[in-house]
Amino acid sequence: MHEILVVEDEPGVVDALRYALKAEGFTVTAVATLAAARTRLTLARPRLVVLDAGLPDGSGFDLLRELRQGGGVPVVMLTARAAEVDRVVGLELGADDYVAKPFSPRELVARIKAVLRRCSPTLTPAPSGPVEVDAAAFRARFFGQPLDLTRYEFRLLVELAAVPGRVFSRAELLDRVWEDPGAVNDRTVDTHVKTLRAKLRAIRPEPEAIETVRGEGYRLRELW
Ligand code: CA
C-alpha cells in the first residue's frame, strides 16, 4: 500500500504532485475539500497525507487535528506562504513536515520519502488487524471469517476500522453512521455495538475487538 492522499484544491499543484509521486512508484488519490478527504479516510488508510492549509470548505489544520487524534497517518502540510505562524501551528499540531508554497515537487517528494522512512517502523502493524472491511462490496471478515452484519452494524464497523485505536464518541458515530441522527439516540449506538460484538465474539471470544473507553466512546482494538 503506497497510496498518498493529496488534499489540495489547486489543480496545477495536484497535477505536479501526481506526476512527481507516480514517478516514484506511489499511487495518488487527490481530493479538493475537507469533506472529500474525510470520506476518503473512512474508506482507506493512506501511507501519508499531503494536506493544504487553505481549502474551500475550511482549514487543513482542522483535519490535521483530527488525524492526530486518530494516531498513525503521517502528514505533510502545505501552506500558502512561508508564514512562521502556519509552520509553528502545523508542527505543534503534529504535522510530520511542512512545505511552503511555492515549492518544487521534487523537494516535496524528497520530504515525503524522508517522513515515510522515519515513520515506517511504527507503520508495520497491519492497518486494520484481523478486521477486513470492503465498504463498496458490503463485505466484512474477522480473522478471515465472513461476518453477517446488518446495515448499521456494518457501517459502524467500517467507521471503527478506518482508524483502529482511535476513540469515536457516541455522538460522532451517530453522526457518521446514521442518516438521520436526530431520529435515534446514544442508546442506539450501544445497542448496535452490543449485537456487533456478539457476532465478533462468535468468531473469537477474546480479546474484545471493540473496546469501551469509559466516558469517551468506542474504539477498535489496535494491537492483537
Ligand atoms: Ca488552497
Side-chain angles (χ1 to χ4, degrees), residues 28-151:
V28 176
T29 302
V31 294
T33 62
L34 292 175
R38 290 186 179 110
T39 301
R40 180 67 200 165
L41 286 161
T42 63
L43 299 175
R45 182 170 172 145
R47 279 291 304 279
L48 182 143
V49 177
V50 175
L51 179 57
D52 188 29
L55 292 160
D57 56 344
S59 164
F61 292 121
D62 290 338
L63 182 60
L64 173 61
R65 209 174 276 121
E66 292 164 28
L67 287 170
R68 285 291 73 98
Q69 283 168 3
V73 184
V75 177
V76 175
M77 289 292 300
L78 303 179
T79 71
R81 58 199 178 281
E84 184 68 9
V85 62
D86 280 1
R87 189 185 71 80
V88 170
V89 169
L91 295 177
E92 269 183 5
L93 288 176
D96 295 276
D97 206 346
Y98 150 94
V99 178
K101 295 178 183 175
F103 59 86
S104 82
R106 185 180 295 189
E107 188 208 344
L108 181 57
V109 169
R111 285 173 179 273
I112 286 171
K113 288 165 85 174
V115 168
L116 288 175
R117 272 196 302 275
R118 280 207 306 273
C119 296
S120 53
T122 60
L123 287 178
T124 316
S128 53
V131 174
E132 300 166 73
V133 286
D134 181 344
F138 196 75
R139 269 201 300 259
R141 298 197 302 174
F142 185 48
F143 283 99
Q145 299 203 40
L147 286 161
D148 184 15
L149 303 179
T150 65
R151 170 188 180 77

Side-chain angles (χ1 to χ4, degrees), residues 132-188:
E132 300 166 73
V133 286
D134 181 344
F138 196 75
R139 269 201 300 259
R141 298 197 302 174
F142 185 48
F143 283 99
Q145 299 203 40
L147 286 161
D148 184 15
L149 303 179
T150 65
R151 170 188 180 77
Y152 288 114
E153 287 165 356
F154 179 78
R155 291 177 63 163
L156 204 47
L157 188 61
V158 168
E159 288 302 326
L160 294 168
V163 195
R166 180 189 153 187
V167 180
F168 291 83
S169 70
R170 289 175 177 79
E172 188 178 9
L173 289 169
L174 269 183
D175 195 53
R176 297 173 74 108
V177 171
W178 275 267
E179 283 98 355
D180 182 9
V184 292
N185 59 45
D186 288 4
R187 296 298 298 273
T188 310

